[in-house]
Amino acid sequence: MENLERIWQEAASHLEESLPETKKQWIQRISYGGEENGVLILALSSAFYRDTAEKNCRTDIENMVSEIAGSEISVRFTVDASKKPVQKSSPKKEKEKKEKPQSLNTTLNKQYSFDNFISGDNSSFAFNACKVIAQNPGTSFNPCLIYGGVGLGKTHLLESIGNYIDEHNPKMKIIYTTAESFTNEFIDSLLSKEKISAFKSKYRNVDVLLIDDIHFLQKKDSTQEELFHTFNELYDNHKQIVLTCDRPITELTDITDRLKTRFRKGLNVDLQPPAYETRMAIAMQKCKEKGYTIDPKVLEFICQSINTNVRDLEGALTTLSSFASLVGKPVTLDIAREQLKNFIIAPAIKNTDITIDMIIHKTAAYFNVKDYDIRGKSRNKNIMLARHISIYLASELTSYSLSEIGKVMNGKDHTTIMYSVEKIKSIMETDESVRQAVNDLKADLLS
């Protein structure tokens, strides 16, 4: 029989190219462990990884190695902590990278790519559609609208399209921008004829236009008018347009019907919260990218407990990694349960009778300020903290969208609300007093 180590290496290479990301993550953790009586032994570093890889990938692996060997090959999985996956490099890719012409596109964030997007049942349609768009810009699914909640990967997919096109067609002009930046640029351009001419030239002479968070355009009539004409110019010239939104286009208020019609003209795809297996693959990828060392059982607990979005999952990983670094000891399950109670409690307490008014009232009392202070524009440090916490609690404890919370909070826009939520999440990782205030208020509101 042909050497099983060589067969496994060839099989692993084929599997990494053909399997979806959720399975590919496990293939990359498997090492050749030997052979015994014609049985291929594959090693993983822990029992948890062994059991999960066996459950998810056994059939794919046995089919592939049998096809390469030309005869039936059985596989046995084992645990060997000393075995680490071999990191493969591609001389061809390195050569292509060196020979690649200088990019014209400086607005793209190079950390986003299809290779590091973990696709699962919640996102496979959107993921595959975006890859087709990137491979055939302007000809397939044009325009395209990607919609879904916070932290589900809309920006990742949007910029992956741009980065893929930039890599394979570096002479194409691509612009990635947010709806807020587009609005601000447009307002600034109104100062002179030269500026407005330059603005129109910039956006109407691109090959690919990627705009994030178009819900920001609500009530901005002049900006909508400008985008309408920009859209028509690009679409008529077969230029690719991809947009993202936090909800289906039909649910946007204060957007003109003619703009909505154009957004619906092409493909509309949604992103849903990831399933457990996808969350595990994402968590492993994030740990690999950031160098986090977290026990597999703790990872399993995190992914079973946090089912909201990738941003919450990443926040939990950061919290535990920071804790381990600061106290100098590994994170146990008990420590994880204690440190992540703020992350874990949220999914179970949505859709209750808690209102934003209740949250504002209790937060105001806690910080000894007035309700109207929190709703207002005061820059007093204590009031601003109370305001940020109120917004964070509203996003955690109610089913209101960020835009709906903004309306209650004296008409604040979606971006401002998102900023407050992310700010409190960040502060809680390092400031015990703020974390305690949030916990106290949560307990009070849920009692």
Side-chain angles (χ1 to χ4, degrees):
M1 181 181 295
E2 195 173 356
N3 180 272
L4 286 185
E5 182 173 9
R6 191 204 63 77
I7 290 175
W8 163 244
Q9 290 172 349
E10 185 176 344
S13 179
H14 285 297
L15 290 168
E16 285 188 27
E17 291 179 1
S18 61
L19 290 179
E21 290 292 331
T22 48
K23 290 186 176 182
K24 186 185 299 184
Q25 293 292 313
W26 298 107
I27 297 296
Q28 292 170 345
R29 288 185 170 271
I30 298 172
S31 298
Y32 175 74
E35 56 183 281
E36 187 176 299
N37 299 324
V39 175
L40 172 62
I41 301 172
L42 299 177
L44 291 103
S45 60
S46 74
F48 171 74
Y49 288 147
R50 176 201 62 195
D51 295 343
T52 310
E54 184 171 9
K55 175 184 174 183
N56 290 336
C57 305
R58 170 183 280 279
T59 301
D60 297 302
I61 291 172
E62 288 189 334
N63 288 342
M64 182 60 72
V65 295
S66 297
E67 182 178 336
I68 293 171
S71 60
E72 290 296 320
I73 300 292
S74 296
V75 172
R76 188 170 83 241
F77 294 83
T78 188
V79 175
D80 185 344
S82 68
K83 292 285 187 182
K84 294 188 181 296
V86 177
Q87 298 297 318
K88 305 176 186 67
S89 61
S90 171
K92 182 180 178 182
K93 286 187 177 181
E94 288 297 318
K95 182 180 178 183
E96 289 175 352
K97 186 176 179 181
K98 290 178 182 178
E99 294 176 351
K100 181 178 179 288
Q102 186 175 2
S103 170
L104 301 172
N105 308 297
T106 58
T107 61
L108 295 168
N109 186 335
K110 297 303 179 182
Q111 73 174 352
Y112 294 118
S113 73
F114 291 124
D115 289 339
N116 61 22
F117 184 91
I118 307 298
S119 175
D121 291 341
N122 64 305
S123 60
S124 59
F125 180 37
F127 176 77
N128 290 328
C130 289
K131 288 192 76 171
V132 171
I133 289 170
Q135 291 163 358
N136 306 280
T139 61
S140 300
F141 308 135
N142 191 31
C144 177
L145 174 69
I146 308 165
Y147 65 90
V150 174
L152 295 180
K154 299 186 297 295
T155 298
H156 192 143
L157 284 178
L158 190 65
E159 295 217 47
S160 293
I161 292 172
N163 283 320
Y164 183 96
I165 296 172
D166 186 43
E167 181 180 351
H168 293 83
N169 297 283
K171 292 185 179 180
M172 294 189 80
K173 187 176 180 183
I174 306 163
I175 286 182
Y176 164 81
T177 189
T178 64
E180 181 178 12
S181 294
F182 182 88
T183 301
N184 292 337
E185 277 191 68
F186 174 63
I187 293 170
D188 181 64
S189 75
L190 298 176
L191 296 174
S192 69
K193 289 183 179 180
E194 291 78 11
K195 282 193 171 186
I196 191 66
S197 177
F199 175 86
K200 291 180 178 181
S201 177
K202 173 182 176 180
Y203 283 100
R204 298 185 190 184
N205 290 287
V206 297
D207 297 296
V208 181
L209 179 61
L210 312 170
I211 302 183
D212 221 347
D213 297 335
I214 59 166
H215 43 268
F216 181 84
L217 297 177
Q218 293 178 104
K219 295 186 178 180
K220 297 173 176 62
D221 296 339
S222 296
T223 307
Q224 289 182 38
E225 176 77 13
E226 179 60 29
L227 181 58
F228 172 78
H229 294 298
T230 299
F231 186 105
N232 287 343
E233 181 78 15
L234 295 175
Y235 183 80
D236 290 344
N237 287 289
H238 307 290
K239 305 302 183 182
Q240 183 67 53
I241 305 164
V242 188
L243 314 161
T244 73
C245 188
D246 67 351
R247 71 201 78 175
I249 197 66
T250 53
E251 294 181 14
L252 282 180
T253 58
D254 302 308
I255 292 282
T256 61
D257 288 339
R258 63 179 185 171
L259 203 51
K260 281 186 182 180
T261 299
R262 276 152 181 78
F263 292 163
R264 291 198 300 265
K265 206 170 194 176
L267 178 69
N268 284 213
V269 292
D270 70 327
L271 292 170
Q272 297 294 328
Y276 167 75
E277 291 80 7
T278 307
R279 296 197 298 274
M280 273 300 300
I282 291 170
M284 290 164 57
Q285 174 75 4
K286 295 296 181 184
C287 287
K288 180 180 176 182
E289 289 175 356
K290 300 197 173 185
Y292 297 160
T293 302
I294 297 177
D295 184 88
K297 290 296 183 184
V298 174
L299 272 185
E300 184 178 18
F301 164 73
I302 294 170
C303 295
Q304 287 174 340
S305 304
I306 298 176
N307 58 10
T308 47
N309 58 57
V310 177
R311 198 167 293 170
D312 285 346
L313 188 63
E314 189 168 2
L317 294 172
T318 301
T319 297
L320 294 185
S321 180
S322 299
F323 177 89
S325 176
L326 291 170
V327 302
K329 62 180 181 180
V331 174
T332 64
L333 276 174
D334 287 340
I335 290 173
R337 290 189 183 97
E338 174 62 25
Q339 292 297 314
L340 299 182
K341 58 187 178 185
N342 292 323
F343 290 92
I344 294 168
I345 194 172
I349 56 181
K350 296 276 188 180
N351 302 313
T352 67
D353 293 329
I354 297 173
T355 67
I356 298 177
D357 285 342
M358 290 169 56
I359 292 171
I360 291 173
H361 183 70
K362 287 188 176 293
T363 306
Y366 188 94
F367 285 91
N368 195 28
V369 299
K370 303 296 184 184
D371 290 21
Y372 60 77
D373 289 331
I374 290 179
R375 296 178 188 271
K377 298 181 179 180
S378 171
R379 310 302 293 177
N380 175 277
K381 186 175 180 180
N382 195 45
I383 293 174
M384 286 180 66
L385 178 60
R387 185 180 301 137
H388 290 319
I389 288 177
S390 295
I391 291 170
Y392 171 81
L393 290 171
S395 74
E396 291 290 297
L397 306 183
T398 75
S399 297
Y400 289 103
S401 69
L402 297 183
S403 296
E404 289 168 335
I405 295 170
K407 289 180 180 179
V408 176
M409 297 295 291
N410 201 24
K412 291 179 173 58
D413 61 52
H414 172 275
T415 305
T416 303
I417 298 301
M418 184 184 295
Y419 170 79
S420 293
V421 172
E422 295 302 317
K423 184 175 182 66
I424 292 303
K425 284 183 180 179
S426 176
I427 292 174
M428 284 196 300
E429 292 178 9
T430 56
D431 192 323
E432 177 59 31
S433 63
V434 172
R435 185 161 58 244
Q436 187 61 51
V438 171
N439 289 340
D440 290 345
L441 285 164
K442 272 187 178 180
D444 190 12
L445 287 160
L446 294 169
S447 61

